[in-house]
Amino acid sequence: MLQHVLLTGANGFIGSHILTQLLSRPSPPFIRAVVRSQAKADIVHAKFAHLSSASRLSFALVPDITAPGAFDRVLDTSPSDSPFDAVIHTASPFLYSATKSNIGWLEPAVKGTTEILKATQAFAPGVKMVVITSSFSAIANLTSLNQGKIYTADDWLPLTWDEVLHGDASMGYRGSKKFAEKAGKQFRMFELTIERESRTLTWVHFSVDYTAAKHPQFSITTLKPPMVYSPIAHAVSSVKDLNESNARIYNLFINSGKDAALPPNGFHAYVDPRDIARSHILAATSPQATNRRLIIAKSQIYSQQISAILRAKFPGELEARVPVGKPGTRLEVLGLAEMRSMEETLGEFGEQLLGIEKREGKVSKG
């Protein structure tokens, strides 16, 4: 049973769902939620203030997860506190609009991972499990999948550091997941070195110091969802603030038109964020998940299915807005036997998007 959990990225897309589920447990643990600012902490606190378990929620501010010792004070509990027994690390950038270059993906993902692991080893000896949010992008290059290949946890994204650094933004995101996980696997053996000249990145490389390597007292489990659709648990005041995968649903399907071309298929597998959140909690308590790379997915999903579900679920509000297209055309380790249907996932998210539009004062295109 979890007693005291450190949760990074607590105000994010997946982190908010994890926090919701932790606080809703029959015997909720103490939770220290890591966010970047007091304003974000206030928003999260207000969301859960009505719960009887809210007294078990505390906050820690880490403005820069890449800073040396970023998490030291966060994990250095006072003698009166119950010791941490699990760390769930979800904090990592995933907004193309907020990332100016690929080092903006790589540095926070890699350094954020190494800093949380260093602090856990140094200040939280009671932690036995660290669970890290990764992505299926660390397994395969989604733009050039091998047809007929069955991808497993033994596969790694076939991109080098230099290819990622000088590639497009999507390469930056995918590479950040690979190299953050590599840093975790070789914890305390990687040190990211960055040299800048007149604020211009000149070169980046990993330097390896094997003499500093120490075997940590905890295991590291990484979870790798594909596309994550759709309901949101964090505060979103505008559709412009949606996370990338959900922005795809809004921009290509809801903010479209009945006669518009059906959007091309995105990656063909998905999971509901509530199921990936539950997977994090299960992984933090499951001995079978120790030091595993776990792919968490519900099923395949295609643009025609998304269109059909949204049109059927909201015939009055979305029938004229969503493209018609051409209608007609495993997890035993965690014990995650049942996942939500696409109807539940997209239906609830559609309601949320329409609610956000109404609060923004947007006029329906119907």
Side-chain angles (χ1 to χ4, degrees):
M1 179 182 294
L2 293 173
Q3 299 294 326
H4 199 166
V5 178
L6 181 76
L7 173 64
T8 73
N11 62 313
F13 177 41
I14 292 174
S16 293
H17 281 286
I18 296 171
L19 182 56
T20 299
Q21 293 184 22
L22 285 172
L23 287 172
S24 300
R25 290 166 72 89
S27 298
F30 290 99
I31 306 159
R32 184 165 295 176
V34 177
V35 295
R36 286 184 296 173
S37 67
Q38 186 60 51
K40 294 182 184 299
D42 292 342
I43 292 171
V44 176
H45 180 266
K47 175 179 173 62
F48 296 103
H50 67 286
L51 296 179
S52 60
S53 58
S55 61
R56 291 179 169 264
L57 175 62
S58 64
F59 291 90
L61 306 184
V62 179
D64 181 5
I65 64 174
T66 71
F71 297 98
D72 290 0
R73 293 185 63 185
V74 175
L75 281 159
D76 188 11
T77 58
S78 69
S80 61
D81 289 334
S82 63
F84 289 102
D85 54 3
V87 170
I88 301 177
H89 179 53
T90 76
S92 193
F94 190 20
L95 276 177
Y96 289 112
S97 60
T99 307
K100 305 305 181 184
S101 68
N102 282 357
I103 195 62
W105 294 106
L106 291 161
E107 185 176 9
V110 174
K111 280 194 168 183
T113 297
T114 56
E115 287 303 324
I116 193 72
L117 295 179
K118 288 178 184 177
T120 300
Q121 182 168 344
F123 299 103
V127 169
K128 301 304 179 187
M129 182 74 82
V130 175
V131 182
I132 299 176
T133 310
S134 183
S135 168
F136 186 76
S137 295
I139 295 279
N141 190 342
L142 304 188
T143 61
S144 59
L145 292 172
N146 294 333
Q147 296 300 317
K149 175 178 171 56
I150 298 176
Y151 288 90
T152 72
D154 293 328
D155 292 303
W156 287 88
L157 174 70
L159 292 177
T160 67
W161 178 271
D162 284 341
E163 287 173 330
V164 170
L165 187 61
H166 301 294
D168 61 19
S170 65
M171 276 192 182
Y173 168 72
R174 296 195 297 271
S176 74
K177 294 302 182 182
K178 171 184 177 177
F179 289 106
E181 186 176 4
K182 287 284 190 181
K185 285 181 70 68
Q186 301 189 46
F187 169 51
R188 296 184 68 86
M189 295 163 64
F190 274 154
E191 178 183 350
L192 183 65
T193 302
I194 300 177
E195 288 194 356
R196 298 179 185 273
E197 181 177 305
S198 302
R199 297 185 179 181
T200 301
L201 182 69
T202 55
W203 56 266
V204 178
H205 74 276
F206 279 127
S207 62
V208 183
D209 179 7
Y210 290 95
T211 63
K214 291 183 180 179
H215 185 69
Q217 79 276 8
F218 50 82
S219 67
I220 301 172
T221 298
T222 56
L223 303 186
K224 308 185 176 313
M227 300 299 291
V228 184
Y229 302 131
S230 297
I232 51 179
H234 59 303
V236 175
S237 58
S238 169
V239 293
K240 294 182 292 185
D241 299 326
L242 290 168
N243 59 292
E244 294 293 339
S245 57
N246 280 339
R248 182 177 186 275
I249 298 291
Y250 181 78
N251 292 330
L252 299 184
F253 293 90
I254 291 179
N255 195 32
S256 184
K258 176 180 178 180
D259 298 321
L262 190 71
N265 290 319
F267 184 63
H268 62 272
Y270 88 105
V271 68
D272 186 294
R274 293 163 293 189
D275 289 321
I276 192 63
R278 183 173 167 226
S279 298
H280 282 75
I281 297 170
L282 289 169
T285 57
S286 172
Q288 292 87 352
T290 299
N291 290 323
R292 300 284 296 273
R293 306 176 77 215
L294 299 174
I295 301 170
I296 310 294
K298 161 64 177 175
S299 65
Q300 295 181 327
I301 187 169
Y302 299 99
S303 292
Q304 188 63 63
Q305 291 171 290
I306 296 172
S307 174
I309 290 169
L310 289 173
R311 290 174 57 80
K313 188 76 175 179
F314 307 98
E317 294 172 285
L318 294 183
E319 192 172 13
R321 299 177 61 182
V322 176
V324 175
K326 296 181 179 179
T329 59
R330 306 181 351 141
L331 300 174
E332 294 85 355
V333 168
L334 297 181
L336 192 65
E338 297 285 334
M339 288 195 185
R340 292 166 174 82
S341 67
M342 280 186 277
E343 286 76 11
E344 181 181 356
T345 295
L346 291 170
E348 183 171 333
F349 186 51
E351 290 178 355
Q352 290 180 328
L353 287 175
L354 292 169
I356 292 171
E357 279 192 334
K358 289 177 182 177
R359 291 192 294 275
E360 283 190 282
K362 285 183 174 288
V363 179
S364 172
K365 291 185 177 182

